[in-house]
Amino acid sequence: MTDIFDPTALMRPNIRALVPYSTARDEFSGEGITAWLDANENPFDNGVNRYPDPHQKELKKVVSELFGTPVDTIFIGGAGSDEAIDLLMRVFCVPGKDNIVTISPTYGVYEVSAAINDVEVRPVPLGENFSLPVDALVSAADSNTKLTWVCSPNNPTGNAYSVTELSRLAEKVSGMLVIDEAYVDFSEKGSMLPFIEKFPNVVVLRTLSKARGMASLRLGMAFSHPVVAQAMAMTKYPYNVNGPTQMDVIRRLRETPDISAVVDLLISERKRLEVALPLKAGVKRVYPSDANFLLVEFDDPDTVYDMLLKGGALVRNRNRVPGCKGCLRITVGTPEQNDLLLKLMDEWK
């Protein structure tokens, strides 16, 4: 990777000086151990009596092969992408001093994590039709801005930004640019993952919760310059991903590396809803989507929300989110679930 930009210079001084927690197994290399007496574990084998690999070495190999990225660029986190979000705040932002810039509206955890870490948030409203305000994002930053956050495809608006737009932003921001690609599998706009070597100030977040259907396992990934991945690994708690989860994810990724059939079906269903919903009573607008959900504007969103709820369909009410007035966010379900949604809309009024 290029040495023109050094992410280390942006990190908190205490993180740069951090000596991470290490185990006896980090300090040992070799074979032949039959008596593991180093970690104060229960010695009786029941399948979960030993601590898991704190570095997720086997899982990272599988992820590296699947996504085509070097192992040293990968961070694996529990709690989906949310652990990576929090760690980036802790690695780069000095509490009470530094700030982050975000698009608005966007995923709410960025703001929550900033609040927990006592970091100022500078939201920048999206442009017309939820377009990316590159120049405004750059202008909102100052010398204490360490992170700029862009969710693409964005939640809750659903639209993605092109690699060209995001690359232009990466060239102009002074700190780190975090691109949250939780929904990228449903988009044709492309990913910034192949560009992390070109842009050492870019971190790409991915999750297994959406297209790969592993939301319950709570595992997310961050891809970045190796020094950023290493800093996140040093800052995390030692055993952040439990052993059964690591083994289950490895099995699932190896058994089903290709998820195109599921993605294609969900995109087809999304397109069906994009055509059908504008014909229903009370619908003002269905926004274009590159994700597995639709942002839909209604004349009376609260009443529609209650009606759908009574009919057995739970959607997300975004009516009170700045920039989303009048809107419900509707996840694309199975064909049968989408049939129910449309049936309820037909029966209403």
Side-chain angles (χ1 to χ4, degrees):
M1 289 192 175
T2 178
D3 294 324
I4 296 175
F5 178 89
D6 181 12
T8 307
L10 288 172
M11 295 177 187
R12 294 168 57 184
N14 62 304
I15 299 297
R16 292 200 299 266
L18 180 67
V19 178
Y21 177 83
S22 65
T23 71
R25 292 167 205 182
D26 291 325
E27 299 156 6
F28 164 80
S29 62
E31 299 178 354
I33 300 297
T34 57
W36 297 97
L37 308 176
D38 60 302
N40 301 336
E41 301 151 321
N42 187 311
F44 300 103
D45 188 9
N46 63 6
V48 292
N49 61 305
R50 299 296 180 186
Y51 285 108
D53 175 10
H55 309 295
Q56 308 102 23
K57 292 185 288 291
E58 187 63 27
L59 179 54
K60 285 180 180 176
K61 289 180 183 178
V62 176
V63 170
S64 174
E65 294 168 1
L66 188 64
F67 290 93
T69 57
V71 168
D72 65 356
T73 67
I74 301 169
F75 169 80
I76 302 289
S81 298
D82 294 344
E83 182 180 6
I85 292 168
D86 179 68
L87 281 170
L88 287 166
M89 298 283 186
R90 288 196 276 146
V91 167
F92 287 102
C93 298
V94 176
K97 175 185 176 183
D98 290 331
N99 65 74
I100 66 168
V101 172
T102 70
I103 57 176
S104 178
T106 194
Y107 183 40
V109 169
Y110 312 142
E111 185 171 352
V112 171
S113 181
I116 292 170
N117 288 283
D118 193 18
V119 174
E120 177 194 356
V121 180
R122 299 185 174 187
V124 176
L126 293 172
E128 186 177 0
N129 295 320
F130 301 135
S131 59
L132 186 66
V134 172
D135 293 332
L137 287 167
V138 174
S139 297
D142 62 14
S143 60
N144 290 325
T145 302
K146 296 298 178 63
L147 301 165
T148 298
W149 298 81
V150 175
C151 187
S152 180
N154 187 36
N155 176 13
T157 62
N159 59 313
Y161 305 110
S162 69
V163 169
T164 300
E165 291 177 285
L166 294 171
S167 295
R168 187 163 77 91
L169 182 58
E171 291 170 346
K172 300 183 77 169
V173 295
S174 56
M176 302 296 297
L177 174 61
V178 187
I179 310 295
D180 188 342
E181 294 187 345
Y183 302 95
V184 74
D185 296 287
F186 305 102
S187 173
E188 297 180 354
K189 297 286 181 64
S191 167
M192 285 295 287
L193 189 53
F195 297 90
I196 58 173
E197 184 170 357
K198 179 179 180 180
F199 298 111
N201 64 328
V202 166
V203 180
V204 173
L205 303 183
R206 290 288 187 91
T207 181
L208 300 178
S209 297
K210 310 302 179 184
R212 292 192 173 273
M214 302 186 208
S216 183
L217 295 178
R218 308 308 300 129
L219 193 137
M221 301 156 289
F223 301 86
S224 66
H225 189 294
V227 302
V228 176
Q230 182 182 28
M232 295 174 72
M234 290 193 307
T235 307
K236 76 174 180 66
Y237 289 106
Y239 304 104
N240 63 321
V241 182
N242 69 67
T245 291
Q246 291 188 45
M247 291 185 288
D248 197 8
V249 170
I250 289 170
R251 176 185 64 80
R252 290 171 183 272
L253 291 179
R254 284 177 171 163
E255 288 181 354
T256 314
D258 183 4
I259 56 171
S260 59
V262 171
V263 170
D264 289 346
L265 174 60
L266 291 174
I267 291 176
S268 175
E269 286 295 298
R270 182 187 74 197
K271 291 178 178 178
R272 178 164 77 101
L273 292 178
E274 285 175 329
V275 172
L277 283 171
L279 305 177
K280 307 304 179 184
V283 175
K284 294 179 66 175
R285 180 174 182 180
V286 177
Y287 286 93
S289 176
D290 298 290
N292 68 331
F293 60 85
L294 292 169
L295 189 69
V296 183
E297 184 180 1
F298 292 86
D299 291 324
D300 188 353
D302 294 338
T303 300
V304 174
Y305 175 85
D306 291 337
M307 176 274 295
L308 293 174
L309 190 61
K310 290 177 183 177
L314 177 62
V315 299
R316 192 74 187 272
N317 193 337
R318 303 281 77 187
N319 183 32
R320 292 162 186 82
V321 173
C324 295
K325 183 176 176 57
C327 293
L328 303 180
R329 192 193 69 192
I330 301 174
T331 303
V332 178
T334 64
E336 294 77 17
Q337 291 167 345
N338 299 329
D339 287 342
L340 172 62
L341 172 76
L342 296 175
K343 179 175 179 288
L344 291 171
M345 292 297 300
D346 282 335
E347 293 174 350
W348 183 59
K349 290 190 177 180

